[in-house]
Amino acid sequence: MDKGIRLRLIWEDTDMLEITFSAWNGEFGGVTKMYLEHGRLIEAVSLFEGFPQSPQDERKLMLGDFRPDGFGGATLRLYTKDLAGHPYVEVSLHTEDHEQTVTLHAPFELAALDSFVSEMEKIEDEMYSTAFLRTYQ
């Protein structure tokens, strides 16, 4: 399995998308399913554009349902680990009813973020399309 974060469109209707969200850093990983409104991933793209602006820059995206009895969800936080601005991602996933949770951290290259953002913009266009943020350890 490739190290990184993957969003995959697995179902849609006129109101909702069903997305699988998986993460693996080479040692630790998880996967969840979640439901999103159409356009939600497009909104997320603008949050990540231009990251990082400074060594203290941090961006956080919450997707899915975070109620204790709700469907799956994920939090994606981009941050820099040091004053040199090395980018890292923190991913927290939880399954339906919070039965399983996982949080992991991984470094990534900024060029990989550009590809991820570009793929997120297109994910609603085709069933089983993916957006992938490659990480390394």
Side-chain angles (χ1 to χ4, degrees), residues 96-107:
E96 186 174 346
D97 295 331
H98 289 262
E99 290 180 12
Q100 302 289 324
T101 61
V102 64
T103 299
L104 59 90
H105 299 259

Side-chain angles (χ1 to χ4, degrees), residues 50-64:
F51 176 83
Q53 294 292 318
S54 71
Q56 294 79 29
D57 196 357
E58 181 177 302
R59 315 280 176 97
K60 189 173 185 179
L61 173 66
M62 295 175 70
L63 295 171

Side-chain angles (χ1 to χ4, degrees), residues 75-93:
T75 304
L76 188 65
R77 181 175 72 102
L78 303 182
Y79 65 99
T80 55
K81 189 169 181 166
D82 51 32
L83 291 176
H86 293 107
Y88 270 69
V89 61
E90 175 189 88
V91 181
S92 295
L93 306 174

Side-chain angles (χ1 to χ4, degrees), residues 1-6 22-26 132-135:
M1 178 184 283
D2 291 331
K3 295 177 188 176
I5 297 152
R6 184 180 314 275
S22 59
W24 172 249
N25 68 3
F132 183 69
L133 176 60
R134 183 171 307 281
T135 62

Side-chain angles (χ1 to χ4, degrees), residues 17 40-41 47 56 65 103-104 107-108 114:
L17 305 170
R40 181 69 176 108
L41 293 176
L47 178 69
Q56 294 79 29
D65 189 351
T103 299
L104 59 90
F108 66 93
D114 292 340

